[in-house]
Amino acid sequence: MTIGSLVYDSREAEPGSLFFALPGIHVDGHRFIEQAVASGASAVICTHLPERTDPEVVYIRVENSRTVMSPIAARFYDDPSAELVIIGVTGTDGKSSTSYFIQQLLQHGGKKCGLLTTVQFDLGGEVR
């Protein structure tokens, strides 16, 4: 079996998907396992097995679906964060100014750079 996508919203499941059944504050993703499987999910990560299982689907029971999702996604997508360089600025005063200066230096040096502060984030051109 080859997994082609990772989803935690059953409406996004398609043939070859790995569906993560995540418990939520208002809704438990386990309620949507059948829907994900009906849409073609090939595998399900869950904390408890559904009452009915499909013999064509792999069910993996884990202690916490949410905590295993991150390392699985990192591996699935070839660990993209391993190529990121992160610079942290700490202290009492001047953090935002220092962060802006670092961003400007990196950008003028031809580096793609994002910025996250208390009041905004910049994804390398799109400020929010």
Side-chain angles (χ1 to χ4, degrees):
M1 167 193 339
T2 300
I3 297 297
S5 64
L6 307 179
V7 297
Y8 58 88
D9 182 333
S10 60
R11 296 169 295 190
E12 295 179 10
E14 58 189 15
S17 293
L18 168 57
F19 175 69
F20 291 88
L22 303 177
I25 294 171
H26 302 290
V27 180
D28 186 352
H30 290 79
R31 289 178 39 197
F32 303 100
I33 291 174
E34 269 189 51
Q35 181 181 345
V37 169
S39 295
S42 299
V44 175
I45 301 243
C46 52
T47 58
H48 56 274
L49 296 175
E51 288 183 22
R52 289 186 307 225
T53 59
D54 183 324
E56 300 295 316
V57 175
V58 174
Y59 296 86
I60 302 169
R61 192 170 60 85
V62 297
E63 189 173 321
N64 186 326
S65 306
R66 195 172 300 280
T67 58
V68 302
M69 185 168 61
S70 178
I72 290 172
R75 182 69 184 249
F76 183 81
Y77 293 108
D78 295 324
D79 201 13
S81 63
E83 296 183 27
L84 292 177
V85 174
I86 299 173
I87 299 171
V89 179
T90 64
T92 305
D93 294 315
K95 294 180 295 296
S96 292
S97 296
T98 302
S99 298
Y100 292 125
F101 297 146
I102 292 170
Q103 179 190 36
Q104 289 174 19
L105 286 169
L106 291 169
Q107 288 176 335
H108 287 294
K111 301 291 183 185
K112 187 174 180 181
C113 182
L115 174 70
L116 173 66
T117 70
T118 306
V119 295
Q120 76 177 35
F121 63 91
D122 178 346
L123 302 174
E126 180 186 347
V127 178
R128 294 185 179 205

